[in-house]
Amino acid sequence: MKERLEELKQEALEKVSKSENVQSLKDVRVEYLGKKGPITEVLRGMGKLSKEERPVIGQLANEVRESIAAAIDTKQTRLEDEELEKQLEAESIDVTLPGRPVRVGGPHLLTSIVEEIEDLFIGMGFEIKEGPEVETDYYNFEALNLPKGHPARDMQDSFYITEELLLRTHTSPVQARTMGQKDGNEPVKMICPGKVYRRDTDDATHSHQFTQLEGLLVDKHVRMSDLKGVLNAFAKQMFGAERDIRLRPSFFPFTEPSVEMDISCKVCEGKGCSVCKGTGWIEILGAGMVHPNVLEMAGYDPKEYSGFAFGMGPERIAMLKYGVDDIRNFYTNDIRFLEQYHKA
Ligand SMILES: [Zn+2]
């Protein structure tokens, strides 16, 4: 019996060491340690043994069983580790492959243009001011020398919320509000960019919503030559040092005298072409010396204080600078259009 048990042990251990996967190990376990296995069979025959032999064989049988079980467990752990290793290797990520590109956004062309203009005026010592887009009739019109019934109001029909509240038609109310805060005895040097609204039919050059950027300087001894110097610096930095400017007489109710500023046409160098309609000049903005009535309404003594103001449309500046031919491109938010102007 002893020999039989030793034989079984050798057989089983050999099969364990030859097993190459978890399943064949399971088979070995069932074969040798199962209820119908040879060791159980040996134990069943113990009844035939003498009293002295029984415990010796019983102990040996247990030892054989334990050593087979231990061998199976050790091998199983090793095989499972190896299998996990293989699986991890098969599923591993190749970090050297190129990644999927991430789309990065950028500022809207209008935002970029406004920021560029802001930087330029901050460099000349101007402050940036903001005001409400829903404005009172007083600040939008009356404080700017446009009393009720003034014919110039017709050009600025707006969206009214009530009789006295409307969507502002220009950023000029910000000028009136800023002057009003100064008690008539402090200088003002500001620009105010922002959205404005007019009842207009949308086409290639008109939009019911657009952007304005206005500037105002009020101080003692401000002259028209100061206005021209500031506008000249703006035009040359925005459109190139070789551009000339010219001022033409114009009319605005809140400035006197009023002017329109043109820059020399970049396309034809002033000779005349289709872009400048043969004139050699392109209109950029409106400006003028602040009307004494406007100064007075804001609390300034027009005999002591004077000032200049100007206003431009950032859309128009962007259209001229980048050759955009339709104002609606700024508001339809077509990524293909906007992407062209993202700065790297
Ligand atoms: Zn031209």
Side-chain angles (χ1 to χ4, degrees), residues 8-26:
L8 286 170
K9 183 180 166 185
Q10 290 312 316
E11 251 180 58
L13 292 181
E14 205 167 312
K15 283 192 180 174
V16 168
S17 78
K18 280 183 182 163
S19 289
E20 279 172 355
N21 56 58
V22 175
Q23 187 53 48
S24 72
L25 268 181
K26 271 184 189 165

Side-chain angles (χ1 to χ4, degrees), residues 264-282:
S264 57
C265 178
K266 192 159 96 178
V267 180
C268 63
E269 292 296 340
K271 290 186 197 81
C273 69
S274 63
V275 174
C276 57
K277 297 186 182 98
T279 63
W281 295 94
I282 291 172

Side-chain angles (χ1 to χ4, degrees), residues 25 46 51 58 113 147 149 162 187 238-239 268 274 285 305 327 330:
L25 268 181
M46 287 224 307
K51 273 186 182 172
I113 278 281
T162 66
M238 206 65 195
F239 294 101
C268 63
S274 63
L285 54 78
Y305 280 87
I327 195 170
F330 294 111

